[in-house]
Amino acid sequence: MSLSNSLKFLDQLAQNNSKEWMDANKSWYQECRKEFIAFVDELIREMQTFEPAVAGLEGRKCIFRINRDIRFSNDKSPYKINFGAAISEGGRHSENPSYYFHLQPGENFMGGGIYMPPGEVLKKIRQEVDYNPEELKQIVAQRKFQDLFGEIRGEKLKTAPKGYPKDHPNIEFLKLKSYVVLHPLADAEISGEALLETTLECFRVMKPFNDYLAVAVS
């Protein structure tokens, strides 16, 4: 399943980010939105073989709105220039770990984990890292994990979080404010027929990481 049409649409939207252009291309947008939802629906169906938590989810409830909230932004562009979907138990706004797919010309990626969790959720993750660091280290050290993601990403505190010493043996994990992993995708991969299987393989490798976080926040 290819998303080449959606990629072309988003490329044009980035160059013509206005209500007038969107109104004139509404049918193209709706066609691409359906294409993206169909892709996410297929992902969900296939993911159930290794991630039962996504059973029953619908693609349309996992994708994000294309309209931007411009009330408090200096950038008044009305639309996002990407399609995004967070596949997670509870839907796109869940505080559970998610599998994320981001479609944007030149900046496509697959990712997962928990992004900028609220304080209480972040506290639980840090407690799990403190109590059970070896499991996380083993997950991150796996060859496939390293090849796809490299390391856990996220903004970090400049010093140790409250309640933890600066010389804690796992301080770099504890300083994280998000626990996410990312794998970039070239536009050529988005347009290729192997996109679905590539994404599924990435999510399979990601699952132990999300499982670790799920235990932490449960």
mmCIF file of all heavy atoms in Angstrom, residues 136-151 183 201 205-206 208:
data_model
loop_
_atom_site.group_PDB
_atom_site.id
_atom_site.type_symbol
_atom_site.label_atom_id
_atom_site.label_comp_id
_atom_site.label_asym_id
_atom_site.label_seq_id
_atom_site.Cartn_x
_atom_site.Cartn_y
_atom_site.Cartn_z
ATOM 1 N N LEU A 136 15.284 -2.204 30.615
ATOM 2 C CA LEU A 136 15.314 -1.128 29.627
ATOM 3 C C LEU A 136 16.638 -1.120 28.867
ATOM 4 O O LEU A 136 16.666 -0.960 27.641
ATOM 5 C CB LEU A 136 15.083 0.221 30.315
ATOM 6 C CG LEU A 136 15.038 1.446 29.397
ATOM 7 C CD1 LEU A 136 13.925 1.301 28.363
ATOM 8 C CD2 LEU A 136 14.854 2.724 30.212
ATOM 9 N N LYS A 137 17.728 -1.316 29.572
ATOM 10 C CA LYS A 137 19.041 -1.343 28.932
ATOM 11 C C LYS A 137 19.134 -2.485 27.925
ATOM 12 O O LYS A 137 19.714 -2.325 26.839
ATOM 13 C CB LYS A 137 20.133 -1.493 29.990
ATOM 14 C CG LYS A 137 20.362 -0.256 30.841
ATOM 15 C CD LYS A 137 21.435 -0.534 31.871
ATOM 16 C CE LYS A 137 21.670 0.641 32.782
ATOM 17 N NZ LYS A 137 22.693 0.353 33.823
ATOM 18 N N GLN A 138 18.575 -3.639 28.289
ATOM 19 C CA GLN A 138 18.610 -4.790 27.379
ATOM 20 C C GLN A 138 17.794 -4.520 26.120
ATOM 21 O O GLN A 138 18.188 -4.897 25.007
ATOM 22 C CB GLN A 138 18.082 -6.027 28.100
ATOM 23 C CG GLN A 138 19.034 -6.578 29.152
ATOM 24 C CD GLN A 138 18.419 -7.686 29.991
ATOM 25 O OE1 GLN A 138 17.341 -8.190 29.677
ATOM 26 N NE2 GLN A 138 19.099 -8.066 31.069
ATOM 27 N N ILE A 139 16.649 -3.862 26.278
ATOM 28 C CA ILE A 139 15.802 -3.519 25.125
ATOM 29 C C ILE A 139 16.555 -2.589 24.179
ATOM 30 O O ILE A 139 16.622 -2.811 22.964
ATOM 31 C CB ILE A 139 14.487 -2.855 25.593
ATOM 32 C CG1 ILE A 139 13.603 -3.869 26.319
ATOM 33 C CG2 ILE A 139 13.740 -2.240 24.410
ATOM 34 C CD1 ILE A 139 12.438 -3.248 27.072
ATOM 35 N N VAL A 140 17.141 -1.546 24.741
ATOM 36 C CA VAL A 140 17.843 -0.541 23.938
ATOM 37 C C VAL A 140 19.092 -1.125 23.275
ATOM 38 O O VAL A 140 19.478 -0.705 22.177
ATOM 39 C CB VAL A 140 18.213 0.673 24.816
ATOM 40 C CG1 VAL A 140 19.082 1.666 24.059
ATOM 41 C CG2 VAL A 140 16.950 1.364 25.320
ATOM 42 N N ALA A 141 19.709 -2.106 23.911
ATOM 43 C CA ALA A 141 20.956 -2.686 23.397
ATOM 44 C C ALA A 141 20.741 -3.695 22.275
ATOM 45 O O ALA A 141 21.701 -4.081 21.593
ATOM 46 C CB ALA A 141 21.723 -3.356 24.536
ATOM 47 N N GLN A 142 19.507 -4.145 22.049
ATOM 48 C CA GLN A 142 19.247 -5.120 21.000
ATOM 49 C C GLN A 142 19.689 -4.588 19.634
ATOM 50 O O GLN A 142 19.481 -3.418 19.309
ATOM 51 C CB GLN A 142 17.755 -5.460 20.943
ATOM 52 C CG GLN A 142 17.247 -6.255 22.126
ATOM 53 C CD GLN A 142 17.870 -7.638 22.193
ATOM 54 O OE1 GLN A 142 17.956 -8.339 21.200
ATOM 55 N NE2 GLN A 142 18.290 -8.030 23.385
ATOM 56 N N ARG A 143 20.295 -5.452 18.844
ATOM 57 C CA ARG A 143 20.853 -5.029 17.544
ATOM 58 C C ARG A 143 19.800 -4.378 16.648
ATOM 59 O O ARG A 143 20.034 -3.321 16.048
ATOM 60 C CB ARG A 143 21.482 -6.236 16.853
ATOM 61 C CG ARG A 143 22.064 -5.937 15.471
ATOM 62 C CD ARG A 143 23.240 -4.986 15.528
ATOM 63 N NE ARG A 143 23.787 -4.707 14.224
ATOM 64 C CZ ARG A 143 24.722 -5.445 13.627
ATOM 65 N NH1 ARG A 143 25.210 -6.514 14.230
ATOM 66 N NH2 ARG A 143 25.188 -5.119 12.437
ATOM 67 N N LYS A 144 18.626 -5.006 16.540
ATOM 68 C CA LYS A 144 17.584 -4.447 15.665
ATOM 69 C C LYS A 144 17.111 -3.092 16.176
ATOM 70 O O LYS A 144 16.831 -2.178 15.395
ATOM 71 C CB LYS A 144 16.403 -5.423 15.555
ATOM 72 C CG LYS A 144 16.668 -6.603 14.640
ATOM 73 C CD LYS A 144 15.404 -7.415 14.425
ATOM 74 C CE LYS A 144 15.625 -8.543 13.435
ATOM 75 N NZ LYS A 144 14.380 -9.329 13.203
ATOM 76 N N PHE A 145 17.009 -2.980 17.497
ATOM 77 C CA PHE A 145 16.598 -1.704 18.093
ATOM 78 C C PHE A 145 17.625 -0.626 17.750
ATOM 79 O O PHE A 145 17.265 0.484 17.334
ATOM 80 C CB PHE A 145 16.451 -1.858 19.601
ATOM 81 C CG PHE A 145 15.848 -0.662 20.296
ATOM 82 C CD1 PHE A 145 14.503 -0.655 20.631
ATOM 83 C CD2 PHE A 145 16.622 0.439 20.622
ATOM 84 C CE1 PHE A 145 13.938 0.450 21.271
ATOM 85 C CE2 PHE A 145 16.071 1.546 21.259
ATOM 86 C CZ PHE A 145 14.724 1.544 21.586
ATOM 87 N N GLN A 146 18.885 -0.956 17.907
ATOM 88 C CA GLN A 146 19.948 -0.001 17.609
ATOM 89 C C GLN A 146 19.942 0.402 16.134
ATOM 90 O O GLN A 146 20.091 1.578 15.797
ATOM 91 C CB GLN A 146 21.307 -0.604 17.977
ATOM 92 C CG GLN A 146 21.582 -0.651 19.465
ATOM 93 C CD GLN A 146 21.818 0.731 20.035
ATOM 94 O OE1 GLN A 146 22.585 1.513 19.491
ATOM 95 N NE2 GLN A 146 21.142 1.045 21.130
ATOM 96 N N ASP A 147 19.756 -0.584 15.268
ATOM 97 C CA ASP A 147 19.764 -0.310 13.830
ATOM 98 C C ASP A 147 18.614 0.613 13.424
ATOM 99 O O ASP A 147 18.782 1.485 12.560
ATOM 100 C CB ASP A 147 19.675 -1.613 13.037
ATOM 101 C CG ASP A 147 20.962 -2.426 13.101
ATOM 102 O OD1 ASP A 147 21.988 -1.871 13.531
ATOM 103 O OD2 ASP A 147 20.921 -3.613 12.741
ATOM 104 N N LEU A 148 17.453 0.413 14.029
ATOM 105 C CA LEU A 148 16.272 1.190 13.644
ATOM 106 C C LEU A 148 16.178 2.537 14.353
ATOM 107 O O LEU A 148 15.831 3.550 13.746
ATOM 108 C CB LEU A 148 14.998 0.388 13.924
ATOM 109 C CG LEU A 148 14.682 -0.754 12.968
ATOM 110 C CD1 LEU A 148 13.523 -1.594 13.497
ATOM 111 C CD2 LEU A 148 14.336 -0.219 11.574
ATOM 112 N N PHE A 149 16.489 2.549 15.646
ATOM 113 C CA PHE A 149 16.195 3.729 16.463
ATOM 114 C C PHE A 149 17.425 4.407 17.076
ATOM 115 O O PHE A 149 17.378 5.597 17.387
ATOM 116 C CB PHE A 149 15.236 3.358 17.600
ATOM 117 C CG PHE A 149 14.019 2.618 17.163
ATOM 118 C CD1 PHE A 149 13.752 1.340 17.630
ATOM 119 C CD2 PHE A 149 13.124 3.183 16.263
ATOM 120 C CE1 PHE A 149 12.626 0.645 17.236
ATOM 121 C CE2 PHE A 149 11.994 2.495 15.854
ATOM 122 C CZ PHE A 149 11.744 1.223 16.344
ATOM 123 N N GLY A 150 18.472 3.646 17.294
ATOM 124 C CA GLY A 150 19.653 4.218 17.910
ATOM 125 C C GLY A 150 19.528 4.365 19.412
ATOM 126 O O GLY A 150 20.126 3.614 20.178
ATOM 127 N N GLU A 151 18.726 5.300 19.860
ATOM 128 C CA GLU A 151 18.590 5.555 21.283
ATOM 129 C C GLU A 151 17.217 6.117 21.605
ATOM 130 O O GLU A 151 16.465 6.492 20.708
ATOM 131 C CB GLU A 151 19.662 6.548 21.752
ATOM 132 C CG GLU A 151 19.550 7.904 21.063
ATOM 133 C CD GLU A 151 20.636 8.877 21.484
ATOM 134 O OE1 GLU A 151 21.476 8.496 22.311
ATOM 135 O OE2 GLU A 151 20.622 10.013 20.984
ATOM 136 N N HIS A 183 12.299 6.478 13.774
ATOM 137 C CA HIS A 183 13.006 5.911 12.622
ATOM 138 C C HIS A 183 12.550 6.661 11.375
ATOM 139 O O HIS A 183 11.368 6.633 11.018
ATOM 140 C CB HIS A 183 12.694 4.418 12.470
ATOM 141 C CG HIS A 183 13.332 3.811 11.257
ATOM 142 N ND1 HIS A 183 14.688 3.583 11.165
ATOM 143 C CD2 HIS A 183 12.794 3.410 10.062
ATOM 144 C CE1 HIS A 183 14.963 3.053 9.982
ATOM 145 N NE2 HIS A 183 13.833 2.947 9.303
ATOM 146 N N GLU A 201 7.332 -4.108 10.731
ATOM 147 C CA GLU A 201 8.583 -4.619 11.292
ATOM 148 C C GLU A 201 9.154 -3.639 12.310
ATOM 149 O O GLU A 201 9.643 -4.037 13.378
ATOM 150 C CB GLU A 201 9.597 -4.879 10.172
ATOM 151 C CG GLU A 201 10.952 -5.373 10.656
ATOM 152 C CD GLU A 201 10.881 -6.662 11.473
ATOM 153 O OE1 GLU A 201 9.905 -7.435 11.327
ATOM 154 O OE2 GLU A 201 11.819 -6.908 12.263
ATOM 155 N N VAL A 205 9.681 -4.396 16.478
ATOM 156 C CA VAL A 205 10.916 -4.166 17.232
ATOM 157 C C VAL A 205 10.661 -3.186 18.384
ATOM 158 O O VAL A 205 11.274 -3.275 19.443
ATOM 159 C CB VAL A 205 12.020 -3.636 16.300
ATOM 160 C CG1 VAL A 205 13.279 -3.275 17.075
ATOM 161 C CG2 VAL A 205 12.339 -4.674 15.225
ATOM 162 N N MET A 206 9.741 -2.273 18.177
ATOM 163 C CA MET A 206 9.394 -1.271 19.182
ATOM 164 C C MET A 206 8.580 -1.840 20.341
ATOM 165 O O MET A 206 8.577 -1.285 21.449
ATOM 166 C CB MET A 206 8.584 -0.162 18.500
ATOM 167 C CG MET A 206 8.395 1.106 19.299
ATOM 168 S SD MET A 206 7.254 2.196 18.417
ATOM 169 C CE MET A 206 8.084 2.381 16.843
ATOM 170 N N PRO A 208 8.708 -4.290 22.684
ATOM 171 C CA PRO A 208 9.234 -4.450 24.046
ATOM 172 C C PRO A 208 9.440 -3.116 24.770
ATOM 173 O O PRO A 208 9.243 -3.028 25.989
ATOM 174 C CB PRO A 208 10.563 -5.175 23.828
ATOM 175 C CG PRO A 208 10.379 -5.895 22.532
ATOM 176 C CD PRO A 208 9.545 -4.988 21.692
#
